Amino acid sequence: MFENTTDAYLSTVARALDGTIYEDPPILFGDTKPGYDATNREYGWDWPSVSFTMVGTKRLANVRFTLETAIRENIPGDFVETGVWRGGASIFARAVLFAHEQTDRRVVLCDSFDGLPAPDEEKYPHDKGSDFHTYDALAVSVDVVKRNFEKFNLLDDQVVFIEGLFKDTMKDVTSEKIAVLRLDGDMYESTIDPLRHLFPKVSNNGWVIVDDYHVVPAAKAAVHDYLDEIGYEDPDFQEIDGVGVYFRKNTRKIPNKSLWKRVTSRT
Ligand SMILES: C[S@@+](CC[C@H](N)C(=O)[O-])C[C@H]1O[C@@H](n2cnc3c(N)ncnc32)[C@H](O)[C@@H]1O
């Protein structure tokens, strides 16, 4: 049984979004086996043919956990997802805000709404060989995503769509503060561009989720390169499901450059 009506609503929305209610089969490619597989869906190992998210049950629960923590602890800011596909994880974030009567936080969806870019191997050697741009199934238009929100009656002015490649659009994210940043771009370029623009806006104690940390080595490399770039010490990554990780931003782990300059200029 559910704990209360909030839990009943959110648990049911989650099950509708990840397809565990309807058990839709996966999209077939590579060595994907036909037919619905409960374990694959729990861990987000398949690409559902109908359901609105491919992150699976555990990573969807992590969206709820991080947002509810931010709400409970008054950590200011929006939920921003870079890489939304059919919109499921962001729809769930909007449902969490609705369930907790949060009217001053927005859900910001950033995507080309046309699939991934071809790798820029010269600029980002880690993306060499990436072929996600060849998968038509990853290109979902903004109209389809808006319709998916409407099906849950969750499309309103707290939902913002930023359309285009991250390299062009990250500057258009107007959120002053971010409580939860969810990175799901599957490439080095698609992870480091959002980090460079958006990590500075993540509130102290806000969350950063890296959806594809353990399955896309280029995304993992981008996270570590960015954190090294800003001198962030000891990020305490927590495991979600063996695929994704998340960590809390702690501003004390970022060296204070102006202080550092003052100290070194005295010596
Ligand atoms: C794995 S899917 C996201 C899955 C989604 N979070 C879910 O809930 O199912 C990756 C998405 O990232 C988008 N994407 C990847 N790199 C991008 C880039 N550089 N600019 C814009 N969109 C990008 C793709 O269009 C695609 O929709």
Side-chain angles (χ1 to χ4, degrees), residues 16-31:
L17 287 167
D18 66 17
T20 48
I21 289 185
Y22 310 106
E23 303 189 346
D24 58 319
I27 295 172
L28 295 180
F29 65 91
D31 57 2

Side-chain angles (χ1 to χ4, degrees), residues 255-264:
N256 182 335
K257 286 204 177 113
S258 53
L259 182 70
W260 180 245
K261 247 189 225 149
R262 280 206 303 279
V263 171
T264 47

Side-chain angles (χ1 to χ4, degrees), residues 140-206:
V140 180
S141 76
V142 72
D143 289 340
V144 167
V145 178
K146 283 183 181 169
R147 233 176 20 249
N148 292 346
F149 269 84
E150 274 167 353
K151 286 175 181 167
F152 285 84
N153 206 6
L154 286 170
L155 185 65
D156 66 357
D157 58 9
Q158 277 177 254
V159 184
V160 178
F161 295 87
I162 309 274
E163 190 171 354
L165 290 176
F166 301 154
K167 65 178 178 188
D168 303 318
T169 60
M170 286 298 99
K171 61 179 183 344
D172 302 330
V173 176
T174 56
S175 306
E176 279 170 24
K177 290 187 174 152
I178 297 173
V180 179
L181 172 61
R182 186 166 203 291
L183 304 162
D184 198 356
D186 290 327
M187 292 173 76
Y188 186 98
E189 166 179 352
S190 307
T191 306
I192 203 148
D193 275 340
L195 276 171
R196 284 188 178 135
H197 284 86
L198 304 182
F199 187 79
K201 296 180 174 195
V202 176
S203 299
N204 188 35
N205 283 325

Side-chain angles (χ1 to χ4, degrees), residues 47-48 51-56 60 81-90 110-117 132 137-140 162-170 182-187 189-191 193-194 211-212:
W47 292 2
S51 315
F52 294 174
T53 182
M54 62 167 76
V55 306
L60 211 50
E81 185 172 42
T82 56
V84 306
W85 195 48
R86 295 179 183 150
S90 287
C110 307
D111 206 293
S112 66
F113 298 101
D114 193 26
L116 286 87
F132 287 124
L138 292 174
V140 180
I162 309 274
E163 190 171 354
L165 290 176
F166 301 154
K167 65 178 178 188
D168 303 318
T169 60
M170 286 298 99
R182 186 166 203 291
L183 304 162
D184 198 356
D186 290 327
M187 292 173 76
E189 166 179 352
S190 307
T191 306
D193 275 340
D211 180 273
D212 32 37

